[in-house]
Amino acid sequence: MPAVVVLGAQWGDEGKGKATDQLGSRVDYVVKFNGGNNAGHMVVVGDEKYALHLLPSGILSPGCVPVIGNGVVVDLEVLFQEIEGLEARGVDTSRLLVSSSAHVIPSYNRTLDKVTERFLGKRQIGTTGRGIGPTYADKMNRVGIRISDLFDEGVLRDKVEGALTQKNQILTKIYNRRGADVDAVVAELRSYADRVAPMVADTGLVLNRALDEGKTVVFEAGQATMLDVDHGTYPFVTSSSATAGGAVTGSGIGPTRIDRVVGVIKAYTTRVGEGPFPTELHDDVGERLRKTGGEYGVTTGRPRRCGWYDAVVARYAGRVNGLTDLVLTKLDVLTGFEKVPVCVAYDVDGVRHDEMPIDQTAFGKATPIYEELDGWWEDISQVRSWDELPVNARRYVEALEEMSGTRISSVGVGPDREATIVRHDLLG
Ligand code: GDP
Ligand code: IMO
Ligand code: MG
């Protein structure tokens, strides 16, 4: 019974939610270990569509215990809105556990996220504006507020006062905003204390015990490798560890417990927000991928930037995460192209790079070196077995597997839970 990490191998929105949900009833715990409601995962079950942000995708599988780990930043208002939204649709959320060490996103950090972006002007990151960056900065700066602080008004007030001593200076003197009021912040955070209390647990202990008992635990990343604060396209990244290491620090288990690391990857590439993206298409082909793939953000509704598959990124994700498997998604979106280009290396100032350049200036200048693969015309959205796929679609998958250096264990051909071709069992 394995411990499996499911993470994004590109710039996010690869279909992690669907991949996690699909493991479904065989999973005992699904743990979100990084990020917060900057994530948006669309899970489609028959006629029902669920947009999840803060809650792990396991919430949709009866019997599975969803866990918000210590590495997550929690917007309490969003947490309860999401819970209420799901309960109204008949989803049982009563098993949810929340780490007492997870940090909360106070309202002043949402304000700071937005005003900082405005202040950055053309250097802006294109954040989701959810207060993610300022809350992780507070955590590292040791002025963060944790879930465990909510339960003692004296402790909470002390921490909020400490944080606002710094933050109100920044808000008022740099950004010309009104400072946050200690009483109002304390009152708002305290208003959630009684509701969140029954969910709070020592989730690290719970998860270690579950693994001791041979339970199946899936660690589901938000964001992705290229958005990871250490390994991504810094500074155009999110503020958390979205790579495999984050599953360990963000949940309180040791690295030796992990059996499998699954990278979810699209058959092409998308990115939201600013930052370098070598295979981006600025033409009508990019528009076609956006339209056919429905590439609009689940969280902000922003159109996603689209481009061809990048095998350099895939190999990099393989190395940084120690991937054992790739889950390839959205192959159906590529139906109907005469030729499908795939980036195999970069050209940087006339020099060929087969691996990720070591600095961002070089990556920013990278132009893709493409290999063109033959396309297919058949509608593959109803295909459920490898042998039924058109030969060129199979060749495309095999070529990506070869170039990316990690086996492709399943292939997505549609948004629905069922629209998947399984080649290797991720839990077997
Ligand atoms: P996540 O953030 O990684 O969970 O991904 P998102 O949910 O933000 O974006 C992936 C989108 O692609 C969602 O709308 C999914 O329903 C959809 N999707 C996932 N897998 C497939 C697939 O194989 N084919 C198609 N056409 N859509 C898919
Ligand atoms: P999922 O989990 C795609 C991007 C934002 C921005 C940068 C920093 O659905 O794959 P942040 O608000 O995190 O400080 O923004 O990261 N970003 C995402 N892009 N999918 C996501 O999540 C993202 N979460 C953050 O667009 O460029
Ligand atoms: Mg998403």
Side-chain angles (χ1 to χ4, degrees):
M1 284 292 199
V4 182
V5 180
V6 175
L7 55 82
Q10 297 162 319
W11 277 279
D13 305 323
E14 296 90 348
K16 298 175 290 291
K18 178 192 160 189
T20 305
D21 168 74
Q22 218 221 326
L23 299 172
S25 57
R26 298 160 69 201
V27 177
D28 300 301
Y29 293 81
V30 175
V31 189
K32 184 177 168 90
F33 62 79
N34 75 303
N37 58 315
N38 48 346
H41 310 303
M42 186 63 81
V43 180
V44 183
V45 187
D47 295 334
E48 295 290 318
K49 279 188 178 178
Y50 299 92
L52 302 170
H53 297 281
L54 189 51
L55 296 173
S57 306
I59 198 109
L60 299 176
S61 299
C64 174
V65 180
V67 178
I68 292 181
N70 58 277
V72 175
V73 288
V74 180
D75 185 320
L76 288 158
E77 187 184 346
V78 171
L79 176 70
F80 288 108
Q81 272 170 6
E82 215 170 315
I83 288 174
E84 280 160 21
L86 287 176
E87 287 284 345
R89 295 174 68 181
V91 177
D92 175 16
T93 62
S94 65
R95 300 173 312 278
L96 178 68
L97 298 180
V98 179
S99 167
S100 56
S101 304
H103 283 243
V104 300
I105 304 180
S107 53
Y108 50 82
N109 279 344
R110 284 196 298 274
T111 310
L112 269 169
D113 191 356
K114 288 177 194 143
V115 293
T116 310
E117 281 281 276
R118 229 171 289 149
F119 210 71
L120 281 171
K122 66 180 184 3
R123 290 193 190 81
Q124 69 167 321
I125 311 290
T127 71
T128 58
R130 303 297 194 259
I132 306 294
T135 302
Y136 279 113
D138 283 1
K139 172 174 170 173
M140 292 308 176
N141 221 3
R142 293 156 298 189
V143 291
I145 317 283
R146 307 211 283 185
I147 293 281
S148 54
D149 299 328
L150 299 177
F151 306 113
D152 181 321
E153 182 155 351
V155 169
L156 182 63
R157 178 171 299 277
D158 189 46
K159 301 230 166 170
V160 172
E161 258 168 18
L164 286 180
T165 307
Q166 290 182 13
K167 309 223 103 171
N168 276 346
Q169 299 285 332
I170 298 170
L171 275 168
T172 54
K173 296 196 177 143
I174 298 177
Y175 295 122
N176 221 4
R177 288 279 166 148
R178 207 177 307 128
D181 174 55
V182 174
D183 289 336
V185 173
V186 170
E188 200 209 329
L189 293 176
R190 282 285 290 167
S191 73
Y192 297 109
D194 289 346
R195 285 169 83 190
V196 81
M199 304 169 192
V200 176
D202 181 347
T203 49
L205 182 63
V206 170
L207 293 170
N208 274 281
R209 284 197 175 141
L211 290 169
D212 289 344
E213 288 165 14
K215 297 275 201 287
T216 299
V217 182
V218 172
F219 299 88
E220 182 193 31
Q223 294 75 53
T225 305
M226 301 305 284
L227 289 173
D228 179 275
V229 69
D230 285 280
H231 302 291
T233 47
Y234 191 90
F236 299 101
V237 292
T238 190
S239 301
S240 70
S241 298
T243 43
V248 172
T249 54
S251 70
I253 59 141
T256 48
R257 307 221 67 153
I258 293 173
D259 300 295
R260 204 161 277 183
V261 184
V262 178
V264 185
I265 197 158
K266 268 182 212 182
Y268 50 99
T269 312
T270 63
R271 168 162 211 176
V272 191
E274 306 302 320
F277 175 6
T279 64
E280 181 171 15
L281 295 163
H282 297 281
D283 56 8
D284 51 355
V285 181
E287 188 53 37
R288 174 169 162 190
L289 289 175
R290 188 173 305 117
K291 283 246 163 67
T292 318
E295 298 297 355
Y296 298 89
V298 177
T299 298
T300 57
R302 289 181 288 179
R304 295 173 182 154
R305 300 157 65 191
C306 297
W308 297 120
Y309 187 87
D310 187 333
V312 184
V313 165
R315 286 198 294 276
Y316 180 68
R319 163 157 62 93
V320 168
N321 296 298
L323 294 183
T324 56
D325 302 80
L326 281 172
V327 162
L328 187 73
T329 62
K330 305 191 106 163
L331 187 66
D332 53 302
V333 176
L334 293 183
T335 295
F337 283 99
E338 180 84 42
K339 294 279 181 190
V340 189
V342 172
C343 171
V344 292
Y346 303 133
D347 180 304
V348 181
D349 295 332
V351 179
R352 183 184 167 108
H353 286 247
D354 287 294
E355 297 299 332
M356 190 64 65
I358 59 167
D359 70 77
Q360 285 299 306
T361 310
F363 187 65
K365 287 193 282 185
T367 53
I369 299 171
Y370 284 118
E371 201 170 287
E372 290 210 322
L373 303 175
D374 291 327
W376 61 92
W377 302 94
E378 299 87 339
D379 176 5
I380 60 171
S381 60
Q382 302 307 315
V383 172
R384 297 291 178 268
S385 74
W386 178 247
D387 297 337
E388 282 174 71
L389 273 179
V391 63
N392 284 349
R394 263 182 286 160
R395 283 195 183 133
Y396 182 77
V397 175
E398 283 165 350
L400 297 193
E401 186 166 53
E402 175 76 30
M403 290 169 187
S404 308
T406 304
R407 72 174 187 178
I408 293 177
S409 294
S410 83
V411 180
V413 291
D416 195 84
R417 214 183 235 182
E418 305 299 323
T420 308
I421 298 164
V422 178
R423 298 175 80 204
H424 306 284
D425 182 4
L426 294 173
L427 299 179

